[in-house]
Amino acid sequence: MQKRPPRQPLSQQQVTDLLTGHDIQPTQQRLEIAQVLFARDQHLSADDVLKQVNQDTARASKATVYNTLGLFAAKGLIREVIVDPSRVFYDPNTCEHHHFYNVDTGELMDIDADRLALMNLPAPPTGTVADGVDVIIRIRNQATA
Amino acid sequence: MQKRPPRQPLSQQQVTDLLTGHDIQPTQQRLEIAQVLFARDQHLSADDVLKQVNQDTARASKATVYNTLGLFAAKGLIREVIVDPSRVFYDPNTCEHHHFYNVDTGELMDIDADRLALMNLPAPPTGTVADGVDVIIRIRNQATA
DNA sequence: CCAGTTTTTAGACAAAGTCCAGATCACGCG
DNA sequence: CGCGTGATCTGGACTTTGTCTAAAAACTGG
Ligand SMILES: [Mn+2]
Ligand SMILES: [Mn+2]
Ligand SMILES: [Zn+2]
Ligand SMILES: [Zn+2]
């Protein structure tokens, strides 16, 4: 529910702290990948990250990118967004928030949590505990009459 | 918001009417597939449908199953549920409703729309129109302390 | 420096889904 | 009926996303 400042590129030190603060060993590849993810508020696929990490000299393999994104998500540093059947998006914004998903363009936009209230959240079935709530508002481009 | 009766296996005639009522030519394969989908309230993957359709004599190819599920969804006869990055689920229940998704088991359960209120739905960005709202409550199995 | 552990990597592999071109089917008409 | 035509179906090749493996490389702490 807390407000989050607009994202801005992070210094090497800031990224390192981000990782260590989440119990993640800051290796060269992980720093590169985090740098890309946290450069700005955005929703990137694994392949997007792979391409961006490897477009200049520094490199990380496909396996490392997938492993790292999974690790970051498991450690709560980033969030997986499952909205498109063909690929997972990774979201540097872990504050509670929701999404518009444009099914025509594939564009994904944040909705601040305080702009949308959920009432009467039903309790999880016995034997299970809630892990998170995703609200996705699917939108399409207005038909040009 | 309307109540929906518990699902029960449909007669050949009922399935045919269901398809024609949605502007879908009732072919042998489409009837088979609809029969499987509407047999009861459930969430099936394309592969589930393929297996069920082909377990007894009657057959439909993989291409036909995928095409047909896509067609049914496009015509509003069934609903796609995107919740698991590895496969799409198809839902015969097109009444407005939401889902529990057990990330441990992969189980998907309905939540009646009137059990959960959404307030202040934000308006879609200009140039776009809302297409639907998905609410997914991710749950996991309670840790056995 | 060494030994042990963690991380990275190339490339093989798997699974879901799409595409294609030819075969089949459905249906209206003479 | 028997045709012609468009819609549908099909096997199988293909693509894309993601996983796995076993070996190389990099770190770590002593
Ligand atoms: Mn990807
Ligand atoms: Mn499937
Ligand atoms: Zn987001
Ligand atoms: Zn459902």
Side-chain angles (χ1 to χ4, degrees), chain A residues 25 27 29-30 59-64 67:
Chain A
Q25 292 250 359
T27 66
Q29 290 82 351
R30 288 171 182 172
R59 294 191 55 82
S61 70
K62 183 173 69 151
T64 297
N67 287 343

Side-chain angles (χ1 to χ4, degrees), chain A residues 39-84:
Chain A
R40 52 200 189 76
D41 259 297
Q42 58 187 342
H43 303 90
L44 298 176
S45 68
D47 201 59
D48 294 335
V49 173
L50 181 62
K51 287 203 182 88
Q52 283 199 42
V53 165
N54 289 346
Q55 79 184 25
D56 42 291
T57 51
R59 294 191 55 82
S61 70
K62 183 173 69 151
T64 297
V65 169
Y66 276 94
N67 287 343
T68 300
L69 292 170
L71 177 69
F72 285 4
K75 295 287 191 180
L77 181 62
I78 59 176
R79 169 174 164 185
E80 281 185 346
V81 181
I82 295 164
V83 76
D84 179 322

Side-chain angles (χ1 to χ4, degrees), chain A residues 4 41-43 79 81 90-95 97-99 108-111:
Chain A
R4 174 183 41 84
D41 259 297
Q42 58 187 342
H43 303 90
R79 169 174 164 185
V81 181
Y90 293 90
D91 192 338
N93 180 2
T94 54
C95 296
H97 72 283
H98 307 297
H99 294 99
L108 197 51
M109 272 160 301
D110 282 349
I111 301 172

Side-chain angles (χ1 to χ4, degrees), chain B residues 21-47:
Chain B
H22 282 264
D23 240 341
I24 299 168
Q25 290 252 358
T27 67
Q28 191 53 50
Q29 289 84 349
R30 288 171 182 173
L31 289 169
E32 291 277 351
I33 291 167
Q35 200 74 258
V36 166
L37 288 168
F38 286 93
R40 52 201 189 76
D41 259 296
Q42 58 187 341
H43 304 90
L44 298 176
S45 68
D47 201 58

